Amino acid sequence: MTQDTLKINGDRLWKSLMELAQIGATPKGGVKRLALTDLDKQGRDLVTGWARQAGMSVTVDQIGNVFMRRDGKNNALPPIMSGSHIDTQPTGGKFDGNYGVLAALEVVRTLNDHKIQTEAPIEVAFWTNEEGSRFVPVMMGSGVFCGAFTLEHAYAAKDTEGKSVKDELSRIGYLGEQVPGDHPIGAYFETHIEQGPVLEDADKVIGVVPAVMGLSWYDCVVTGMEAHAGPTPMHLRKDALQVATKIMQEVVNIGNRYPPYGRGTVGMVQVFPNSRNVIPGEVKFSIDLRNVNDELLNKMHEEILAFVDQTSKATGLGVTVERVSYYPPCPFHPECVDAVRSATAKLGYSTMDVVSGAGHDAIYAARLAPAGMIFVPCKDGISHNEIEDAKSEHLEAGCNVLLHAMLDRAKIVS
Ligand SMILES: [Zn+2]
């Protein structure tokens, strides 16, 4: 077999995915393996056990990120890394995150099968608490690693029962010693199910990911006056909901004004007092604006603020809008994007560019090293759901692309 036709073992990848999915398996076919629970420990133990069997050494850092290393010829070089997360949502699926970790492990197993030595070391990583459902913030492990927030901030996070990240890390035996970030990375790749419907809709196998969308989140409050729905004539009302719906519609209009990557969503609404025969006196709602281009995202930001101001003046009702979160778009490194693109072309898979609308550990890794992502389709674009599903041949294809993209960076010695 020449290097160009080297392929991973798709059956082995699938079997490992199914075995890991047994830990925390739900009756509906999904997985519930929340970060730093006993089940997370079992999942971590299984994956690190597989890594040791594959001859890798295992390092754990102080936030519980795990790095599994296969030496290269020149171990002074920073490792070519790939990984993702193995924690899940409470009603999560088998593939979100898990695929990225096990695909990276499969790359190492394949290199072992063919006795291939690389110039740079190869590392497989899983990052602590990517999902953020038990502990906030999300993408905790990779966030601490890249310095987006401090270790102390992460340690102090508590679940709804008051258990802290530090105590739970220690309890499950994954409170490591390495200082987060004190660990060079030569390049970082992450394979992931798309978590959206674009690839499936276009009937393509591999998504090359040039960037992850940026987002702006807001809390908006409209204040009117509660009054009886019968005796109060229409022209004498201060109906907070009627004003709120104008703004909500504008959020969607803004998303529509910036195709193809503009997004505008109102996902959370609270109406007070929420009574059938009372004119709403107050409405609180969320606004989520996204774009892959920071300049356009900023325009969207200014447009919603201007619209709110104008609507407040025109109606005489008070409206406040506060930005509560902002992540700029994250373009991936051209060299990593190219490595993914050329590996896909070499292997002959159908492909298109897909911008990620969801957050990933790769965003934080990209702050420290050249990074890139590979997407494969998932059924109906659904994830964060027990019915999440993906085809074995697509997972295999994505893993083959990962293999060749990593080899492009790690360089084969023999
Ligand atoms: Zn994920």
Side-chain angles (χ1 to χ4, degrees):
M1 184 176 289
T2 71
Q3 289 167 15
D4 278 359
T5 56
L6 190 67
K7 294 276 173 67
I8 61 96
N9 182 334
D11 287 340
R12 182 169 56 193
L13 171 61
W14 181 260
K15 277 192 191 125
S16 297
L17 277 162
M18 293 306 113
E19 194 175 336
L20 181 54
Q22 289 303 307
I23 302 173
T26 62
K28 287 185 185 164
V31 179
K32 179 182 181 182
R33 199 180 325 116
L34 299 185
L36 312 185
T37 55
D38 290 348
L39 290 172
D40 187 19
K41 173 188 167 49
Q42 283 178 41
R44 286 165 172 260
D45 290 351
L46 181 65
V47 174
T48 51
W50 281 335
R52 288 193 178 95
Q53 279 168 22
M56 305 168 84
S57 57
V58 178
T59 309
V60 183
D61 75 9
Q62 291 169 335
I63 190 63
N65 295 321
V66 174
F67 304 97
M68 299 164 280
R69 181 181 171 100
R70 182 184 195 264
D71 280 343
K73 184 177 173 219
N74 180 355
N75 290 309
L77 289 173
I80 304 306
M81 185 183 286
S82 179
S84 193
H85 59 97
I86 62 167
D87 67 315
T88 76
Q89 291 285 327
T91 52
K94 303 181 192 81
F95 304 101
D96 179 358
N98 296 286
Y99 170 53
V101 176
L102 296 184
L105 178 65
E106 177 54 37
V107 165
V108 169
R109 287 168 163 175
T110 300
L111 298 180
N112 289 349
D113 289 346
H114 297 275
K115 300 187 171 53
I116 290 170
Q117 189 185 29
T118 53
E119 184 71 25
I122 299 255
E123 287 195 15
V124 179
F126 58 82
W127 307 97
T128 295
N129 184 38
E130 191 273 348
E131 295 288 4
S133 62
R134 186 178 176 207
F135 300 104
V136 176
V138 298
M139 303 189 287
M140 182 181 276
S142 50
V144 171
F145 187 88
C146 86
F149 39 88
T150 63
L151 185 61
E152 288 65 35
H153 178 67
Y155 276 170
K158 289 188 172 140
D159 70 2
T160 53
E161 292 172 16
K163 293 177 178 164
S164 77
V165 163
K166 189 172 188 187
D167 289 348
E168 289 294 272
L169 273 171
S170 160
R171 187 183 66 80
I172 68 166
Y174 279 88
L175 183 64
E177 286 180 357
Q178 191 173 66
V179 175
D182 200 4
H183 191 121
I185 303 177
Y188 180 85
F189 293 95
E190 183 166 345
T191 49
H192 210 283
I193 54 169
E194 184 199 342
Q195 302 181 285
V198 176
L199 285 172
E200 188 178 69
D201 182 59
D203 200 19
K204 305 286 187 197
V205 174
I206 299 293
V208 177
V209 188
V212 179
M213 285 185 183
L215 67 82
S216 261
W217 282 357
Y218 310 81
D219 286 342
C220 189
V221 182
V222 181
T223 309
M225 177 66 82
E226 286 150 43
H228 198 299
T232 318
M234 299 308 282
H235 71 287
L236 294 178
R237 296 175 173 215
K238 289 184 177 172
D239 186 332
L241 183 57
Q242 286 307 305
V243 173
T245 55
K246 288 186 211 300
I247 299 168
M248 292 178 195
Q249 189 57 56
E250 182 63 12
V251 170
V252 174
N253 293 344
I254 290 173
N256 282 327
R257 274 206 290 278
Y258 293 94
Y261 298 123
R263 306 276 190 269
T265 307
V266 175
M268 207 165 68
V269 182
Q270 291 170 292
V271 180
F272 299 95
N274 207 25
S275 172
R276 186 183 297 273
N277 56 357
V278 179
I279 298 162
E282 186 180 78
V283 178
K284 295 183 177 178
F285 60 98
S286 63
I287 298 173
D288 175 322
L289 298 178
R290 301 186 189 219
N291 207 305
V292 75
N293 177 312
D294 204 29
E295 213 172 296
L296 297 183
L297 183 59
N298 201 36
K299 274 192 181 169
M300 294 166 76
H301 166 78
E302 278 162 15
E303 285 180 19
I304 194 64
L305 294 191
F307 187 86
V308 162
D309 191 47
Q310 176 192 323
T311 308
S312 175
K313 281 184 182 133
T315 61
L317 269 62
V319 188
T320 61
V321 61
E322 187 195 348
R323 178 141 81 172
V324 292
S325 274
Y326 166 69
Y327 286 95
C330 168
F332 286 124
H333 198 282
E335 282 175 21
C336 289
V337 176
D338 282 350
V340 172
R341 205 185 295 289
S342 32
T344 305
K346 187 165 77 178
L347 294 161
Y349 296 123
S350 63
T351 180
M352 68 188 289
D353 283 13
V354 184
V355 164
S356 175
H360 295 289
D361 294 309
I363 298 173
Y364 282 144
R367 294 193 187 181
L368 299 177
M373 288 192 80
I374 302 158
F375 278 173
V376 297
C378 55
K379 191 167 185 295
D380 302 323
I382 289 173
S383 75
H384 287 192
N385 189 319
E386 291 163 280
I387 64 168
E388 176 188 288
D389 202 6
K391 286 188 180 156
S392 171
E393 64 260 37
H394 292 162
L395 299 168
E396 180 176 343
C399 189
N400 277 323
V401 172
L402 177 68
L403 169 72
H404 286 274
M406 289 183 84
L407 287 177
D408 178 75
R409 301 294 303 217
K411 306 289 180 223
I412 294 178
V413 180
S414 59

